Amino acid sequence: MNKLYIGNVSAEASEEDFETIFEQWKIPHSGPFLVKTGYAFVDCPDEKAAMKAIDVLSGKVELHGKLLEVEHSVPKRQRSCKLQIRNIPPHMQWEVLDSMLAQYGAVESCEQVNTDTETAVVNVRYAAKDQARLAMEKLNGSMMENYALKVSYIPDETGRFNARGPPRSSSPGLGARPKVQSDIPLRVLVPTQFVGAIIGKEGATIRNITKQTHSKIDIHRKENAGAAEKPITIHSTPEGCSNACRTIMEIMQKEALDTKFTEEIPLKLLVHNNFVGRLIGKEGRNLKKIEQDTGTKITISPLQDLTLYNPERTITVKGPIEACSRAEEEVMKKTRESYESDMAAMNLQSNLIPGLNLNALGLFPSGAPGMGPSMSSVPPPGAHGGCSSFGGHPESETVHLFIPALAVGAIIGKQGQHIKQLSHFAGASIKIAPAEGMDAKQRMVIIVGPPEAQFKAQCRIFGKLKEENFFGPKEEVKLEAHIKVPSFAAGRVIGKGGKTVNELQNLTCAEVVVPRDQTPDENDQVIVKISGHFFACQLAQRKIQEILAQVRRQQQPKPASGTQPPLPRRK
């Protein structure tokens, strides 16, 4: 990573010429210059020195009338999927960069490199070599806001190091910002009148904060034109996010004094609603502990303020700057823990659910950096008419999900708003059946829709029960779901001697029961009961639907000889 290639070298150039240039620009090097015809190599002691040489010399310094080209030296066998892009405009938004990179292929990671230059540098890894090569060809030298991008290969060390243990701490593969963010960004709301002071003259203040805290900061000035507050997104390590947040609070306080603004300026954090229930804790214990430990007063915006397109809650923290900063650390620590545990469960189970498109589900903050939670990838209701992403069974399914009777109000929401939004979001019909008697402990939610809609609707219902503290902070939400199967197929779900149902239970960790001696209903169907946490229930439902699909295929009548064969089913 620290070996440099120097190109466009004059035939007259000598080792002494390079010694002089590196000395003049105070760039350390750890070995002699290897000068060849038209090019040279040199080793630098660390990545910082290598980056300085590239930034200071490449395309800027002449030797014997020729402009030197300096880049990382990468052997051809290592020219695989990883590129470094330099000279990126300093105010470029992450989302613009991401969409530009995505034109050439699937970006597996994109991490910012800290440099002393005004322009930004990122290391990008594509999923395939040809994608990286295409990006290299198209982007190198291309103009962006009057800046010419410089693109070069860098060693992709991850393949080499996997066999030998973990990568070195200087490895570019460490701390990458993957598409599903390994560490969710910090989102802060600031009064619009302070945005100018945070940016500073010609962007000097924000540039300084970025450099000091090793963070990437996006100020969404164009969002909500005319609004009294603007969101700021900070990408960094947890420590970098906290330092940037504290600095922004200090700038706002100074600006308030200078402009004789007398109102208190609280810290306002934006947190995705999926994590707020766990942040609050049972009977508010987690939140009370943070308030007591930090000496702050914390309030959270009501659920009614949520919309499909704004799934964030505003967490308002009041107190001195130091106390607010400590509270931010605690709030985000809890949020990150929730996020990581959800993603771990999601990834573990998605491997077992064929074709499950995690990005289309909109269950977690979007992977689009800088944009905050986005529901843009959620298909509208009715968009499931074609083949769903669950492996070709777009038929509508009906699931009866049983929830605590006391939770019905929370699922319906004020004037039915929550259940309407949920139905719209999932693309499913969601109805709550009447109570079966005065003292019924449970109520049945009837969900009708294709598999992806079922996944989304049920996930939100499980999540809502957790948020509203119907289950303890360390208690998993476990519910019972019923699906109806044709009575002639029940035996296939059970299997010979209960073999299939036992395998189902072992694979999914759900309890699956086909009650014996059931009387089939008017449609000749019987009930299969599935109990367990969300992913277990989902997996069991999918596996049972696979069995039913097989049964249906086998039940299709075979064409009699001499008759016209039926048209083949659409795949």
Side-chain angles (χ1 to χ4, degrees):
M1 192 57 195
N2 307 326
K3 190 181 184 72
L4 295 178
Y5 164 85
I6 306 170
N8 203 33
V9 173
S10 163
E12 302 160 42
S14 67
E15 194 177 325
E16 289 74 22
D17 290 332
F18 287 113
E19 292 276 6
T20 305
I21 288 172
F22 271 62
E23 199 173 309
Q24 181 186 341
W25 291 98
K26 297 185 172 57
I27 301 166
H29 58 95
S30 54
F33 289 86
L34 185 62
V35 182
K36 303 279 187 180
T37 308
Y39 61 95
F41 294 105
V42 68
D43 282 319
C44 288
D46 52 37
E47 192 183 344
K48 191 177 177 187
M51 286 301 303
K52 184 177 180 183
I54 292 168
D55 292 331
V56 169
L57 304 179
S58 191
K60 296 171 187 169
V61 172
E62 275 190 17
L63 180 59
H64 299 300
K66 296 183 87 169
L67 269 179
L68 297 175
E69 292 172 2
V70 184
E71 58 186 55
H72 293 286
S73 170
V74 186
K76 278 190 177 168
R77 63 191 161 76
Q78 276 190 359
R79 293 187 181 189
S80 53
C81 303
K82 198 157 185 186
L83 302 174
Q84 184 166 87
I85 304 174
R86 302 185 300 281
N87 212 32
I88 298 168
H91 298 307
M92 189 171 183
Q93 300 278 307
W94 271 117
E95 57 267 27
V96 176
L97 179 64
D98 283 339
S99 61
M100 179 186 79
L101 296 174
Q103 292 174 47
Y104 309 109
V107 177
E108 288 190 343
S109 68
C110 177
E111 64 169 356
Q112 187 170 8
V113 180
N114 295 315
T115 67
D116 295 330
T117 58
E118 180 185 316
T119 53
V121 178
V122 295
N123 290 345
V124 180
R125 182 188 284 108
Y126 279 95
K129 289 183 184 182
D130 57 338
Q131 296 171 357
R133 188 170 61 245
L134 181 63
M136 172 94 173
E137 288 166 4
K138 298 288 186 187
L139 294 177
N140 193 27
S142 65
M143 297 300 293
M144 182 158 284
E145 298 178 23
N146 299 323
Y147 291 85
L149 298 181
K150 304 278 174 60
V151 186
S152 60
Y153 280 105
I154 53 175
D156 194 352
E157 296 173 331
T158 49
R160 272 191 310 150
F161 277 95
N162 280 353
R164 299 186 190 175
R168 299 172 312 198
S169 59
S170 62
S171 161
L174 210 64
R177 186 175 60 86
K179 272 289 170 238
V180 178
Q181 291 164 336
S182 58
D183 204 7
I184 52 175
L186 171 62
R187 302 250 301 154
V188 184
L189 263 187
V190 301
T192 304
Q193 68 260 42
F194 296 130
V195 168
I198 293 165
I199 293 169
K201 194 174 181 184
E202 296 177 352
T205 307
I206 195 74
R207 210 158 45 239
N208 192 39
I209 301 172
T210 300
K211 195 169 165 183
Q212 296 291 329
T213 61
H214 304 301
S215 55
K216 173 76 183 167
I217 302 174
D218 294 322
I219 299 177
H220 308 287
R221 280 178 289 179
K222 291 177 184 170
E223 275 186 30
N224 309 330
E229 295 171 313
K230 298 288 180 189
I232 294 179
T233 304
I234 304 166
H235 298 272
S236 187
T237 59
E239 188 184 1
C241 287
S242 296
N243 290 341
C245 179
R246 190 183 304 113
T247 306
I248 287 168
M249 285 192 285
E250 287 163 356
I251 290 167
M252 289 196 294
Q253 190 175 64
K254 184 180 183 304
E255 182 68 8
L257 286 171
D258 293 348
T259 55
K260 298 185 169 53
F261 181 86
T262 53
E263 292 174 35
E264 183 183 4
I265 310 164
L267 170 63
K268 290 191 176 182
L269 306 173
L270 294 172
V271 173
H272 197 282
N273 186 50
N274 279 5
F275 312 128
V276 170
R278 283 166 283 182
L279 173 64
I280 295 168
K282 194 168 188 181
E283 297 168 355
R285 283 177 204 152
N286 292 352
L287 207 59
K288 280 177 197 156
K289 186 172 187 323
I290 294 173
E291 284 183 319
Q292 286 163 3
D293 290 351
T294 61
T296 54
K297 176 71 183 146
I298 303 175
T299 52
I300 297 180
S301 62
L303 274 164
Q304 289 88 314
D305 292 358
L306 291 179
T307 67
L308 179 62
Y309 302 101
N310 175 32
E312 289 175 305
R313 307 269 289 273
T314 304
I315 296 171
T316 304
V317 185
K318 293 186 176 180
I321 285 180
E322 201 52 48
C324 286
S325 184
R326 284 203 309 277
E328 175 273 324
E329 287 172 15
E330 292 301 317
V331 166
M332 289 309 295
K333 182 183 171 193
K334 189 74 189 161
T335 303
R336 288 183 188 106
E337 282 170 4
S338 301
Y339 175 78
E340 280 156 18
S341 102
D342 284 1
M343 287 310 295
M346 194 86 167
N347 289 329
L348 177 72
Q349 294 290 338
S350 67
N351 295 331
L352 299 169
I353 302 180
L356 173 59
N357 179 358
L358 293 185
N359 292 333
L361 296 172
L363 303 172
F364 296 110
S366 156
M371 292 301 285
S374 157
M375 293 294 162
S376 58
S377 60
V378 175
H384 304 276
C387 199
S388 97
S389 69
F390 278 88
H393 303 291
E395 297 91 354
S396 190
E397 300 171 0
T398 300
V399 176
H400 294 166
L401 192 65
F402 291 83
I403 64 170
L406 294 172
V408 168
I411 298 298
I412 293 173
K414 198 173 181 182
Q415 296 174 328
Q417 279 299 99
H418 185 263
I419 201 165
K420 276 184 205 157
Q421 279 184 3
L422 178 53
S423 181
H424 179 76
F425 160 75
S429 158
I430 304 170
K431 294 190 172 71
I432 296 182
E436 292 184 358
M438 292 293 287
D439 54 353
K441 294 268 194 319
Q442 289 193 313
R443 290 283 289 277
M444 183 168 77
V445 182
I446 304 162
I447 306 165
V448 181
E452 206 155 281
Q454 290 288 352
F455 189 103
K456 289 154 93 170
Q458 292 178 47
C459 183
R460 281 287 169 97
I461 291 169
F462 272 76
K464 185 74 172 165
L465 297 179
K466 183 77 171 173
E467 281 164 25
E468 298 291 330
N469 298 316
F470 286 101
F471 291 79
K474 293 186 176 172
E475 191 183 355
E476 271 194 299
V477 179
K478 289 190 176 179
L479 299 178
E480 185 171 303
H482 291 184
I483 57 177
K484 289 189 174 181
V485 304
S487 59
F488 62 80
R492 286 289 293 275
V493 174
I494 296 166
K496 196 170 182 180
K499 184 171 182 279
T500 307
V501 82
N502 287 337
E503 283 174 354
L504 256 178
Q505 293 189 124
N506 291 335
L507 172 68
T508 64
C509 303
E511 187 183 336
V512 181
V513 177
V514 184
R516 295 185 182 280
D517 308 323
Q518 285 188 71
T519 306
D521 65 11
E522 67 278 8
N523 298 317
D524 197 31
Q525 291 183 318
V526 293
I527 288 168
V528 177
K529 296 181 178 181
I530 303 162
S531 307
H533 61 72
F534 171 69
F535 288 110
C537 266
Q538 277 304 302
L539 192 50
Q541 286 174 42
R542 297 275 54 80
K543 291 295 176 190
I544 291 168
Q545 292 295 351
E546 279 176 27
I547 293 168
L548 296 180
Q550 282 175 352
V551 172
R552 278 196 293 270
R553 281 196 293 274
Q554 289 163 359
Q555 290 286 319
Q556 283 188 314
K558 295 195 167 48
S561 58
T563 61
Q564 183 71 25
L567 288 170
R569 293 203 318 152
R570 278 199 309 163
K571 291 277 186 224

